[in-house]
Amino acid sequence: MVRRGENIYKRKDGRWEGRYKKGRREDGKIVYGYIYGKNYQSVKDSLPLYKSKYNNTKEVKGELSINLEEWLYHWLSQNKNMIKESTYSGYKYKIDKYILPVIGHIEINKLTIEDLENMIMTWQDSGLSSSSIRVVFTILRSSFLFAVKKKYLNENICDHIDLPSEKRNKIRSLTLVEQKMLENEARKSMDGLGFAVILSLRTGLRIGELAALKWEDIDMEGNYIYVSHTVQRIPKHNGKSKTKIIYSTTKTQTSIRKIPMSDDVKNWLLKRSNTSTPYIFSNNDTPCEPRLITYHFHKIRERAGLNNVHFHQLRHTFATRCLESRADIASVSSLLGHSSIKMTLDIYADTMMENRVKAIKNMEMMIKTSL
């Protein structure tokens, strides 16, 4: 190509090409933009406008000029060794499924508030719940925060977005009658996975925590169950198999806890303890995966005539029984492994209403008797 002027060249096809700086990559390399014209003068006259746009973008938003897809994969690779494998897999799945199809092609320093608002509306139109929208958007916000910390961007545009309010779906606990019906059916297969149903109802363990439970986690002398790991199936991002089972630490630090055993739970465990397998619920010396426990649970609930009950309701039933027996909210929160007492209060506010009514009646009685 023949060059005339600053960054203006004549191409072999006869057109004139002007090159301007439009940003940098995450490794610091300059990213160039190009404009074309039929003659040298038209290109020369247009270049200042593009250079001005770059300078304005650099000042307001920052220099990072790669599309969002490339940036998010870079961000994931930078954080891969600092997060759990299951967390990484979940992030990548949500990025690929929800973010990239909508705005993945847009350069990161060209993204606008309108782009993000349109993405959220797209998610809503597809039926994505408000809580799921918040989870996915938090991933995007975190990636932008990383870019700001690295000084690739000047601001986190996600901070300007108002997310749809989260509607918490109340999870119904089983009544005492329903619990007895379910336990009666589960007791018929206590040598198998019926015990998983009973154990969840009596300890509040999550299904992944049950699957990960080892005999070494049981303190028969102290009468405690130690909960520190979970088993889950996560998507694979290479190879023939689409998913894989992983055994890892629990979701959060507060999920690591010890749960006192009742006499019944201890006796049931003692009856199963004559085994050489490391896991309480095992499949050829490997942990029994959650979906197998779920499969057997569905069989048990159907025989009990409780077709609309889900496994996670067993955990909520345990919490409800604790609160009904006058357990304090801090103890219940600790038993469940919640991140805060507020979280427990938010979930079980309705369950505690009966206690509040009694508190008011007792207060009124005390006032009347003292007058």
Side-chain angles (χ1 to χ4, degrees), residues 202-215:
R202 300 301 182 91
T203 64
L205 265 65
R206 301 175 178 92
I207 192 168
E209 294 169 342
L210 286 168
L213 204 60
K214 292 182 175 181
W215 287 109

Side-chain angles (χ1 to χ4, degrees), residues 6 10 23 48 66 78 84-85 133 143-144 154 202 222 231 251 282 286 288 294 305 331-332 348:
E6 184 183 7
K10 187 171 184 180
I66 58 176
Q78 291 292 301
K84 292 170 59 176
E85 183 181 6
I133 287 174
S143 76
F144 273 70
N154 296 336
R202 300 301 182 91
V231 168
K251 187 177 180 181
S282 64
T286 61
C288 183
T294 300
S331 295
V332 175
Y348 296 103

Side-chain angles (χ1 to χ4, degrees), residues 252-299:
T252 63
Q253 190 63 32
T254 51
S255 294
I256 299 174
R257 60 202 190 277
K258 68 177 185 178
I259 300 174
M261 284 191 291
S262 67
D263 290 340
D264 283 343
V265 169
K266 182 176 181 177
N267 290 332
W268 290 326
L269 283 167
L270 284 170
K271 290 178 181 178
R272 295 174 61 93
S273 62
N274 186 22
T275 177
S276 60
T277 60
Y279 295 95
I280 292 176
F281 304 103
S282 64
N283 182 18
N284 297 325
D285 291 338
T286 61
C288 183
E289 68 169 289
R291 68 180 180 183
L292 183 59
I293 296 176
T294 300
Y295 172 80
H296 284 277
F297 166 69
H298 287 171
K299 296 293 184 181

Side-chain angles (χ1 to χ4, degrees), residues 26-297:
E26 74 284 354
D27 58 7
K29 291 183 179 179
I30 296 175
V31 178
Y32 291 100
Y34 301 89
I35 59 172
Y36 304 94
K38 292 181 179 180
N39 55 64
Y40 167 80
Q41 192 62 43
S42 65
V43 173
K44 182 180 179 181
D45 292 342
S46 298
L47 269 180
L49 175 62
Y50 287 89
K51 291 178 180 178
S52 176
K53 284 183 178 180
Y54 160 70
N55 288 328
N56 182 63
T57 299
K58 176 184 176 182
E59 182 178 346
V60 176
K61 293 187 175 181
E63 279 198 288
L64 190 62
S65 185
I66 58 176
N67 63 41
L68 185 62
E69 178 176 2
E70 189 175 352
W71 165 249
L72 287 173
Y73 286 154
H74 171 75
W75 172 70
L76 278 176
S77 68
Q78 291 292 301
N79 289 276
K80 187 173 185 179
N81 295 328
M82 294 183 286
I83 58 178
K84 292 170 59 176
E85 183 181 6
S86 57
T87 303
Y88 173 85
S89 180
Y91 282 0
K92 189 174 187 307
Y93 173 79
K94 293 177 178 68
I95 286 170
D96 290 343
K97 183 174 178 62
Y98 298 111
I99 299 175
L100 298 188
V102 187
I103 59 173
H105 61 287
I106 302 176
E107 292 180 7
I108 190 170
N109 65 346
K110 301 288 177 59
L111 269 171
T112 65
I113 292 175
E114 185 178 7
D115 291 328
L116 298 184
E117 289 175 340
N118 288 337
M119 177 180 66
I120 291 170
M121 285 191 287
T122 299
W123 292 344
Q124 288 177 311
D125 290 343
S126 69
L128 197 63
S129 68
S130 297
S131 58
S132 295
I133 287 174
R134 287 176 173 271
V135 170
V136 178
F137 197 79
T138 296
I139 297 172
L140 185 64
R141 177 184 282 116
S142 297
S143 76
F144 273 70
L145 179 61
F146 183 78
V148 173
K149 287 183 177 179
K150 291 290 186 179
K151 300 189 183 302
Y152 298 146
L153 296 176
N154 296 336
E155 68 167 354
N156 190 339
I157 190 175
C158 296
D159 292 339
H160 301 294
I161 301 300
D162 293 323
L163 296 174
S165 58
E166 185 175 358
K167 296 179 180 178
R168 185 181 293 275
N169 293 323
K170 296 179 181 178
I171 300 178
R172 185 182 72 85
S173 299
L174 274 64
T175 65
L176 271 171
V177 172
E178 290 172 327
Q179 181 173 348
K180 288 178 181 178
M181 291 167 60
L182 189 63
E183 285 197 10
N184 287 339
E185 279 302 324
R187 287 172 194 266
K188 296 176 183 178
S189 54
M190 287 290 277
D191 291 338
L193 291 176
F195 181 49
V197 176
I198 298 288
L199 198 56
S200 182
L201 281 166
R202 300 301 182 91
T203 64
L205 265 65
R206 301 175 178 92
I207 192 168
E209 294 169 342
L210 286 168
L213 204 60
K214 292 182 175 181
W215 287 109
E216 65 185 40
D217 299 323
I218 309 300
D219 180 1
M220 291 296 186
E221 292 185 5
N223 294 323
Y224 288 109
I225 297 174
Y226 290 87
V227 183
S228 59
H229 288 81
T230 187
V231 168
Q232 59 188 132
R233 181 174 287 277
I234 65 171
K236 283 183 66 176
H237 304 292
N238 50 51
K240 294 181 180 180
S241 176
K242 293 183 179 180
T243 61
K244 67 177 180 179
I245 287 289
I246 63 167
Y247 172 87
S248 63
T249 55
T250 50
K251 187 177 180 181
T252 63
Q253 190 63 32
T254 51
S255 294
I256 299 174
R257 60 202 190 277
K258 68 177 185 178
I259 300 174
M261 284 191 291
S262 67
D263 290 340
D264 283 343
V265 169
K266 182 176 181 177
N267 290 332
W268 290 326
L269 283 167
L270 284 170
K271 290 178 181 178
R272 295 174 61 93
S273 62
N274 186 22
T275 177
S276 60
T277 60
Y279 295 95
I280 292 176
F281 304 103
S282 64
N283 182 18
N284 297 325
D285 291 338
T286 61
C288 183
E289 68 169 289
R291 68 180 180 183
L292 183 59
I293 296 176
T294 300
Y295 172 80
H296 284 277
F297 166 69

